[in-house]
Amino acid sequence: MTDKFAEAAGHGMGSAFVFALTAGLLTALTPCVYPMIPITISIFGGRGVSRRRSFGLATLYVAGIATMFGTLGTVFAMLGKAFGTYLASAWVVIPLAIFFLAMAASMFGAFELALPSALQQRLARVGGRGAGGVFLMGLVGGLIAAPCTGPPLAGILAFVATTRNAVGGFLLLATYAVGIGVPFWAIAGFSMQMPRSGPWMEAVKSVFGIALVVAALYYLKNVLPQLGHLTGHSAAFIGFAAGMIMLGLALGAVHLTFHDAVALRLRKGVGVALASLGLFGLTNYVLTPKRELAWMRGEAEALHAAREQKRPVVIDFMADWCLPCKEMDVQVFANPEVGDQLREFTLLRVDLTREDEDTSLGVVKAKYGVNTLPAVRIVSSTGQIVRRFDTVIDVPTFLGGLAEGLRAPASVAN
C-alpha cells in the first residue's frame, strides 16, 4: 500500500489525503472493526441521549483515534532517516516483503488475525460515557481495529517514514483515523442503519490483500531492480496494465474466496496475481519520469565542468527509497519547461541510497547542508549555493530558483 500512497502523492498531497481517508473507511468495513461499531455507539449514544450530544461524543471518540494514529505517524516520520537507509538492505527488505505477503495471506483468509471477543468488548468500554471517557475510548479504540488496521496502517507508516515530514505524518494518519470514524458519525448523527455483515466484507479484505501484494513487490524492487522494468512510457502500456487488472477482477480477485472449491481457489489465485501485477505496473508507470535528464554522478567532475563552461549547477540529492524524490523526478524534473531551462545547467545527481557504505557521501552532504530528502541545491559555477530546496516544490518555484542560478556571477572577482 506504500506504493499506492506514493502514486497518490504523485498527483499532489491532496490525493494522498483522499487515499488515506478512503483506506480508513475501508478498514472500518472489515470484520475486525465493523461488528464493534454498534456496540461502541451504544455506550455513548444510548437511549435518552440527544442526537446532537451523540454526534459530539462520536466526534470526541474519533478525535481519540486520530490522536493515537497521528502520534504514531509523527514518530515514524521522525525516524524516517534510519527507516529509509534500511530499505536499501536486502536483509531488511526481504523480511519486510515477507511480512506484507503474510499479512496479505491473512486478508485472503489463510489465517485469522483478531483480538478475542471478550477483550474487544472490554476495550470498547474503557473510559465511560463522559466527554473525557469517550476520548479515552477513542485512544484505545485502535487496539480493537489493530488486526485489520495492520495492513493499510503499515503501508501508510512506511510512506510517512520516507517523507520525514512530522506534521504531514500526523495529519495523514489522523485522516486515516477519520475514515475509520465515518460510520460512527453516520450512526450517531444521522441514526443511519449499518448493513448486515456478509460476503461483501471479505471483498473489502481482498482489496487490502491485493494492495499488500503490490506493496511487497514495491519494496522488493529496491533489491531486485528487474522488477522496475515492468513499466513503460506509452498509452499502450497503460492499456496493458489496466487490462491485466480488469481480467484479474473478472476472474474473481475480489469477489471469490479461497474457502471455495479447488477450481475456484485457483481461479481467484490467478486473478489476484494478474490484478497485483497490473497495479504494480501502473505504479511503476506513475513513478517513472517521462523525460530522462543527463545527470553526472561525480561531484568533482561536475564542478570542474561547470567552471570550465561557466555554467551554474543543479545538484539533486536522492535515494531509491525516497518517495518524495521520485515525486520531484516525475512532477518537476520531467516537466518540459524545466527541462528546457536545465539545458543551461550542469546536472549532478548524488545517490544516497547506500550512504552508510560510502563515507565520501557524508562529506558531500555536509558541504551542501543536506540533512533530509528530497534536497536540491542550485550552485553557481564558482561553487556558491544560490538556492536550497529541502522539500517537494512545484514547477513555478523551481523555475524561479533556476532563474536565480542563471543570474549568479560566473566568476569570482579578484
Side-chain angles (χ1 to χ4, degrees):
M1 189 164 283
T2 310
D3 54 296
K4 303 310 293 179
F5 272 93
E7 181 178 339
H11 298 287
M13 285 306 294
S15 298
F17 279 100
V18 171
F19 196 99
L21 184 69
T22 303
L25 180 57
L26 289 175
T27 300
L29 301 179
T30 56
C32 305
V33 182
Y34 191 83
M36 298 304 300
I37 295 174
I39 298 174
T40 306
I41 287 291
S42 68
I43 296 173
F44 54 77
R47 293 181 180 179
V49 178
S50 68
R51 182 177 300 180
R52 181 176 179 180
R53 176 172 172 77
S54 180
F55 187 82
L57 292 175
T59 301
L60 284 172
Y61 182 81
V62 176
I65 300 176
T67 300
M68 186 193 72
F69 282 131
T71 301
L72 194 61
T74 298
V75 170
F76 267 70
M78 294 176 68
L79 294 175
K81 179 180 179 180
F83 182 88
T85 302
Y86 294 150
L87 287 182
S89 169
W91 294 103
V92 174
V93 170
I94 293 177
L96 184 62
I98 293 174
F99 167 75
F100 274 109
L101 290 174
M103 295 296 286
S106 74
M107 290 293 101
F108 291 128
F111 54 90
E112 290 298 326
L113 287 175
L115 296 176
S117 178
L119 180 57
Q120 287 188 15
Q121 297 192 29
R122 179 175 296 182
L123 288 172
R125 290 172 170 79
V126 170
R129 292 178 180 272
V134 169
F135 182 79
L136 181 59
M137 287 169 57
L139 284 175
V140 300
L143 295 176
I144 300 173
C148 284
T149 60
L153 182 62
I156 302 173
L157 289 175
F159 170 79
V160 166
T162 62
T163 67
R164 305 183 190 180
N165 185 334
V167 175
F170 182 94
L171 294 177
L172 194 61
L173 268 295
T175 301
Y176 171 70
V178 168
I180 296 176
V182 168
F184 292 93
W185 277 317
I187 294 178
F190 305 101
S191 299
M192 293 178 60
Q193 296 294 320
M194 300 297 288
R196 292 183 178 182
S197 302
W200 63 270
M201 298 180 73
E202 293 299 321
V204 172
K205 292 179 68 175
S206 289
V207 171
F208 279 143
I210 292 171
L212 284 164
V213 173
V214 177
L217 293 173
Y218 177 83
Y219 281 119
L220 285 172
K221 187 170 64 171
N222 287 341
V223 295
L224 295 175
Q226 296 83 354
L227 290 174
H229 297 162
L230 183 59
T231 187
H233 297 85
S234 65
F237 178 80
I238 297 177
F240 174 73
M244 291 181 68
I245 296 171
M246 293 175 64
L247 180 58
L249 294 176
L251 287 174
V254 172
H255 68 271
L256 293 182
T257 76
F258 284 114
H259 303 294
D260 219 319
V262 174
L264 292 177
R265 289 202 297 261
L266 290 173
R267 178 176 158 184
K268 181 177 177 70
V270 173
V272 167
L274 289 173
S276 299
L277 287 174
L279 282 171
F280 178 65
L282 286 181
T283 300
N284 282 347
Y285 173 85
V286 171
L287 297 178
T288 300
K290 305 306 180 288
R291 182 171 183 170
E292 297 292 339
L293 299 174
W295 296 96
M296 301 181 72
R297 298 291 175 169
E299 188 218 8
E301 177 188 4
L303 294 183
H304 176 75
R307 284 193 299 270
E308 289 291 317
Q309 301 171 12
K310 295 184 179 181
R311 290 156 61 99
V313 187
V314 171
I315 308 178
D316 175 40
F317 292 84
M318 50 73 67
D320 287 344
W321 47 260
C322 175
L323 296 179
C325 299
K326 294 178 181 178
E327 183 180 345
M328 281 286 294
D329 232 4
V330 173
Q331 299 296 319
V332 179
F333 289 126
N335 179 275
E337 190 174 356
V338 169
D340 291 341
Q341 288 294 313
L342 288 177
R343 293 174 182 171
E344 306 297 325
F345 291 78
T346 297
L347 305 182
L348 169 64
R349 174 158 281 176
V350 180
D351 189 348
L352 301 178
T353 301
R354 302 181 183 275
E355 64 174 290
D356 291 344
E357 301 175 7
D358 187 347
T359 56
S360 66
L361 293 176
V363 176
V364 177
K365 286 177 60 180
K367 178 179 179 179
Y368 295 100
V370 173
N371 297 308
T372 186
L373 292 179
V376 178
R377 299 292 182 262
I378 299 177
V379 181
S380 70
S381 62
T382 61
Q384 304 300 309
I385 298 176
V386 178
R387 283 293 299 271
R388 304 170 184 261
F389 298 112
D390 292 305
T391 186
V392 176
I393 55 174
D394 57 23
V395 169
T397 301
F398 189 61
L399 287 174
L402 294 180
E404 288 187 42
L406 291 173
R407 292 195 296 268
S411 61
V412 179
N414 297 319

